[in-house]
Amino acid sequence: MNDRTARALSRALIATAVAGAAVTAPGAADASSVRAAADPTCGSWVSSAVFPGLSARACIWGTGASWKQAQTEVFNGTGSAVEVETLTATLDPLPGNARCTAIHLQNGQTAFCGTRSVPDNNPFQFDRAVGSVQVTDLVHREQFAFASPFVG
């Protein structure tokens, strides 16, 4: 397991523990629905066109649950430090969004930005996490977007 995977797994375990309190609230049908809700559904890593080694993805938590939460992450594998001016996380079409700014990201580090859990009272509506990142190294600047798959 490389450092990037270990860090992502560590963050996911922490987030799962935090989300677990919401998942086990009354109404959870069984252990399988709790487990499904606590596991994120993530989109593919989207690579930067300007900063080789920089990539980002969006994840949605709460699949099959009566709540949803979005988390975005950006990984810096460029070989040098970059400034993440803005990293956003939005639940589409639910009313949840977050904006994280002014993140100094060293080579090999990952930054996360997440929304709060919001109620999802419509089991027939599919939702997804959408994110964007704006990065600079004081010479170059790039902004690109990414999304998770839709989940119920």
Side-chain angles (χ1 to χ4, degrees), residues 126-137:
F126 289 96
D127 310 297
R128 68 179 177 164
V130 178
S132 68
V133 63
Q134 184 169 326
V135 183
T136 184
D137 66 358

Side-chain angles (χ1 to χ4, degrees), residues 33-60:
S33 68
V34 171
R35 188 171 29 261
D39 294 335
T41 300
C42 299
S44 299
W45 287 95
V46 175
S47 298
S48 166
V50 175
F51 299 95
L54 186 89
S55 57
R57 71 176 181 171
C59 299
I60 187 165

